[in-house]
Amino acid sequence: MASYPVDPRQPDAAYLSFWRERHLCTLTTLRPDGSPHVVPVGVTYDPEAGLARVITDKSSRKAVHVLAAGPDGVRVAVCQVDGRRWATLEGRARVSTDPAHVAEAVRRYTERYERVPSPNPSRVAIEIELTAAMGRG
C-alpha cells in the first residue's frame, strides 16, 4: 500500500486494491455552523473518472449538506480503515439525480459490497470529484 500522498487518478496497485475490498467507510461533510458531520457510508472509487461515489436518499443530512453548497459543490472527505491500513479520498462533492449517474453508482456499489441496495425512488448519487488522496499500509 502506498504511503501518503497518493495521486487519486493514478494510485498504485495496493492502494486501489484496498479500495476494492469490502469496507465500511465514513463521509465527512460540514454542517451550516462549520462543525463536521461524519457518517458511515459505502464508497466506490473510480480513479479513471477521478470520482468517488456514495449512494443515499436525497433527504439525508449528507445530501442536504452537499446540496446546500449549490452547483459548485462542497469539499468533503471519505475514509476507510482496516487495522493499520487506512485510505482517504478528498474532493468537491455534488449531488446527482441523473438516472444514468445514479444507476452507475448503484452498479459500482453492488460490485464492491456484493449486495444490491433496496429500491429507493429518491436515491441520489453524491459524486466526489477527487483532488487528493492519501493512505498508509
Side-chain angles (χ1 to χ4, degrees), residues 16-51:
L16 185 56
S17 177
F18 185 44
W19 275 104
R20 295 217 163 110
E21 295 172 11
R22 189 178 190 277
H23 293 288
L24 187 60
C25 303
T26 60
L27 168 68
T28 303
T29 59
L30 296 179
R31 296 182 181 101
D33 69 3
S35 64
H37 178 254
V38 184
V39 293
V41 293
V43 175
T44 61
Y45 175 32
D46 180 0
E48 294 82 18
L51 293 174

Side-chain angles (χ1 to χ4, degrees), residues 5 8 16 20 25 27 36 43 45 65 68 72 81 88 93 118 122 131:
L16 185 56
R20 295 217 163 110
C25 303
L27 168 68
V43 175
Y45 175 32
H65 292 156
D72 290 336
V81 177
T88 299
S118 301
S122 49
T131 57

Side-chain angles (χ1 to χ4, degrees), residues 73-132:
V74 65
R75 294 200 48 84
V76 301
V78 291
C79 183
Q80 66 181 21
V81 177
D82 181 34
R84 296 177 73 166
R85 298 183 306 157
W86 62 274
T88 299
L89 300 169
E90 299 176 9
R92 187 158 295 278
R94 293 174 183 84
V95 172
S96 178
T97 59
D98 180 284
H101 288 229
V102 174
E104 178 63 6
V106 168
R107 182 190 74 74
R108 288 176 177 275
Y109 176 94
T110 300
E111 182 179 284
R112 181 176 189 198
Y113 292 97
E114 300 175 342
R115 72 179 219 35
V116 177
S118 301
N120 180 351
S122 49
R123 177 173 289 129
V124 296
I126 296 175
E127 296 178 325
I128 305 163
E129 185 179 342
L130 300 174
T131 57

